[in-house]
Amino acid sequence: MSVVSEFAFELRVCAWAERHWHPEAEQRRPCFVARQLGTRDRRWDTVIVEVDPERLAARANFGTERLDSDLLHVVRNAPADWAFYRDALPHPGYPWRYVREAVHRAADRGVVEKRRNGNRIELRRKWQYPDWVERIVAVENKPDLDASAADVLADQLERDVALSLADEVWLATEATDEDVEPALLREMPVEAGILAFDAADGEASVAWHPRSLDADAVGTRITDRPSGGEFDQSPAAFEYADAEWKAEKRLEIAERAYERGWRSYVDTMRPDCRHFGVRRAEHGYVPYCGAKECEPTASECSSSCSSLSPEPPAWRQKNWPLDGGPGKTIQRVLEERRQRQR
């Protein structure tokens, strides 16, 4: 069975990874999974964050919402005893007034303690921020890997390998009946792994093992490449990404993944439509549109949909199991599963 869209394929890969990561059974690793995360210049389809379970439990002290870069600067450097925030925190490289605002936000969220001592704002930590992220794995999903898609993906994966922001890079594609998966015949970088995913039974197998990338070292950010034409002799342009930037960016990505999870698709759809529902797939629930009888994408399940039919107010006034309408129930169930995975 072939899935009808890349979005549907992506959800199945995420659900499989949440239950079965790592592909080698003897190397199963605790992790959580998120979708559509990365940097300003690069967004990965699937992000798998491998974690230390005990330290992840300690991370829960800081709440389910992500800590952005400013808040991370505060909570990671907050002192054990009361101190003036300018003395306690290292210079961030930008004006102190933004740090002061971050201290106020952190205190409002209850992740640090704050007090005034005359005209000075002092802070101290409530908990030590743990080093909870073990590894970050990036997966590109492409069920139908034709020649044009392969060319684009090869370029993207080469950039990922050069930057080495993730510890591993994978390509997930739909399994075929051929002896050699078509992805192996394309010009993919040898450092990228290839995952052959069978949408019929929701199982995956490794067609090509990836190489571990050095995420702690300086990376190479490719900014421009020659077109490859017959008369194009121009060199590639690149710049270095230092290890400190990579470490900070990796933690920010992990924080966003911790907040969102892969079930965040419901946040960009219209679960308040009477046609919206979820169906049980191989490893988890996926959205389903009763009007179009398909698994809609976020762009299809939007306010511009011609079949949109908001739930009547009477539905939202009913008690359990509706408790606010079917749409609210779906949101609550998916949020509970997201919290359970955390």
Side-chain angles (χ1 to χ4, degrees):
M1 180 189 73
S2 178
V3 295
V4 295
S5 69
E6 289 188 24
F7 174 73
F9 181 80
E10 182 176 301
L11 293 188
R12 284 162 172 78
V13 171
C14 289
W16 170 85
E18 188 175 80
R19 291 197 177 200
H20 299 292
W21 188 259
H22 188 273
E24 299 297 329
E26 64 275 10
Q27 299 181 21
R28 292 288 163 80
R29 300 165 186 171
C31 68
F32 59 86
V33 182
R35 300 174 44 252
Q36 298 298 322
L37 289 177
T39 67
R40 179 186 61 185
D41 302 317
R42 179 74 170 100
R43 177 178 295 181
W44 294 315
D45 292 336
T46 300
V47 175
I48 302 168
V49 182
E50 298 178 6
V51 300
D52 179 289
E54 293 183 2
R55 294 176 181 175
L56 178 64
R59 163 62 185 82
N61 291 326
F62 297 86
T64 58
E65 296 182 13
R66 71 183 175 100
L67 300 174
D68 59 31
S69 59
D70 291 342
L71 291 179
L72 284 171
H73 180 71
V74 172
V75 300
R76 296 177 70 192
N77 297 290
D81 298 316
W82 290 108
F84 179 43
Y85 77 95
R86 288 200 185 192
D87 295 336
L89 305 178
H91 195 286
Y94 48 82
W96 280 106
R97 66 177 182 274
Y98 297 114
V99 180
R100 185 172 63 248
E101 293 174 2
V103 171
H104 290 315
R105 287 200 294 127
D108 291 341
R109 286 182 52 173
V111 295
V112 299
E113 294 181 308
K114 178 193 71 173
R115 74 178 184 185
R116 281 192 173 274
N117 185 3
N119 292 327
R120 291 191 164 202
I121 297 175
E122 297 181 338
L123 81 159
R124 69 177 179 185
R125 68 170 180 246
K126 297 180 70 173
W127 309 281
Q128 180 73 45
Y129 185 84
D131 184 16
W132 56 279
V133 179
E134 294 284 319
R135 299 168 77 246
I136 294 180
V137 178
V139 182
E140 280 298 305
N141 301 309
K142 198 67 178 177
D144 184 15
L145 195 66
D146 57 23
S148 60
D151 290 341
V152 174
L153 275 176
D155 179 72
Q156 292 175 341
L157 294 176
E158 286 173 358
R159 293 171 186 264
D160 291 340
V161 169
L163 183 58
S164 62
L165 186 60
D167 296 272
E168 283 181 3
V169 175
W170 290 77
L171 164 64
T173 186
E174 195 160 6
T176 67
D177 296 328
E178 301 179 32
D179 293 335
V180 179
E181 292 296 335
L184 290 173
L185 304 177
R186 309 295 187 185
E187 295 182 359
M188 299 295 167
V190 296
E191 295 87 352
I194 298 177
L195 197 67
F197 189 81
D198 190 341
D201 57 14
E203 297 303 322
S205 61
V206 178
W208 183 267
H209 289 272
R211 294 182 185 175
S212 294
L213 305 177
D214 192 353
D216 297 325
V218 174
T220 302
R221 185 185 293 109
I222 299 174
T223 58
D224 191 21
R225 313 188 65 151
S227 62
E230 181 181 356
F231 303 103
D232 188 355
Q233 302 295 322
S234 59
F238 66 92
E239 59 189 21
Y240 292 114
D242 61 64
E244 182 179 355
W245 176 88
K246 288 173 57 177
E248 293 176 357
K249 193 58 62 177
R250 283 164 54 86
L251 186 54
E252 291 172 24
I253 292 172
E255 280 285 338
R256 295 205 303 273
Y258 180 83
E259 177 186 53
R260 291 175 56 179
W262 68 271
R263 297 179 180 89
S264 59
Y265 60 80
V266 75
D267 299 333
T268 57
M269 291 183 166
R270 292 297 303 265
D272 60 326
C273 174
R274 69 173 71 207
H275 302 301
F276 184 90
V278 291
R279 285 192 170 184
R280 182 78 183 182
E282 293 72 23
H283 296 297
Y285 290 103
V286 295
Y288 185 79
C289 176
K292 298 180 179 179
E293 298 183 345
C294 69
E295 295 178 24
T297 64
S299 60
E300 292 171 334
C301 185
S302 64
S303 300
S304 60
C305 176
S306 59
S307 300
L308 177 65
S309 179
E311 298 170 348
W315 287 13
R316 303 190 186 101
Q317 297 171 3
K318 294 182 179 180
N319 295 321
W320 190 93
L322 296 179
D323 193 20
K328 287 293 184 182
T329 301
I330 291 171
Q331 289 177 296
R332 186 168 59 253
V333 168
L334 294 179
E335 176 57 34
E336 288 173 354
R337 289 180 175 269
R338 177 162 46 183
Q339 181 62 26
R340 184 189 309 167
Q341 179 64 16
R342 290 198 192 102

